Amino acid sequence: MNLRPKRRPVPTIPIVSLIDIMVILLIFFVATTTFEKDKTQMKITLPESKTLGGAATTPEVRVAITIDEQQHVFLDGKPVELEQLAAAITTMKEKTPGLKLELKADTTAALGNLVKVWDALREAGYSINDVPARIQRAK
């Protein structure tokens, strides 16, 4: 007499094919789902102006103060000594009253040279905040 119950064979479920189906469904849902931002449903009438919102203004032309790898300073592409930079900026400012400047410095530019350039800008009557520093994004 056999008192032990007969073992049933364990059914095999093909999990690999189920994973494939799950991945396909996931790709489908990701590809077809749209994420919308909340939009207010208010109808407004915008005011009109004859002078505002017209054609875009021309981009500002700025004269560059450049410090290269060898720590040489250039004003509008012409070499200038750091000691005479304030005088050169003042002379340019007198010739062109609305002169706007920008600072372009190499990554190896010494901090001391940058401070001297900022001092020269202040001597010439420019605020450091009015002279943007152009930074190139690393590639």
Side-chain angles (χ1 to χ4, degrees):
M1 205 180 228
N2 191 359
L3 295 176
R4 290 187 181 177
K6 242 182 166 182
R7 283 193 168 187
R8 292 187 201 174
V10 179
T12 58
I13 301 174
I15 294 180
V16 174
S17 62
L18 291 178
I19 292 175
D20 291 342
I21 293 171
M22 184 182 69
V23 169
I24 290 171
L25 286 173
L26 180 67
I27 291 171
F28 172 78
F29 287 124
V30 168
T32 59
T33 303
T34 57
F35 301 97
E36 293 185 28
K37 295 181 182 176
D38 292 334
K39 296 180 182 178
T40 56
Q41 300 296 325
M42 301 171 85
K43 189 168 191 153
I44 59 171
T45 304
L46 296 175
E48 294 179 7
S49 172
K50 293 180 182 177
T51 58
L52 297 176
T57 59
T58 57
E60 292 181 334
V61 177
R62 293 184 176 262
V63 174
I65 301 171
T66 310
I67 303 175
D68 66 359
E69 293 175 342
Q70 290 80 25
Q71 309 305 316
H72 296 113
V73 179
F74 298 90
L75 178 63
D76 199 21
K78 299 171 189 154
V80 177
E81 293 296 322
L82 269 173
E83 293 77 27
Q84 287 115 19
L85 183 60
I89 293 172
T90 306
T91 306
M92 269 187 128
K93 187 177 179 182
E94 290 170 358
K95 290 179 184 176
T96 343
L99 180 69
K100 298 209 179 227
L101 299 171
E102 70 180 356
L103 176 62
K104 294 180 179 180
D106 189 72
T107 55
T108 59
L111 179 61
N113 288 344
L114 289 171
V115 171
K116 288 178 184 176
V117 168
W118 288 327
D119 286 342
L121 286 169
R122 296 200 91 174
E123 285 179 37
Y126 283 94
S127 170
I128 295 173
N129 296 334
D130 295 338
V131 181
R134 300 291 177 204
I135 299 170
Q136 184 175 4
R137 181 178 233 165
K139 294 178 184 175

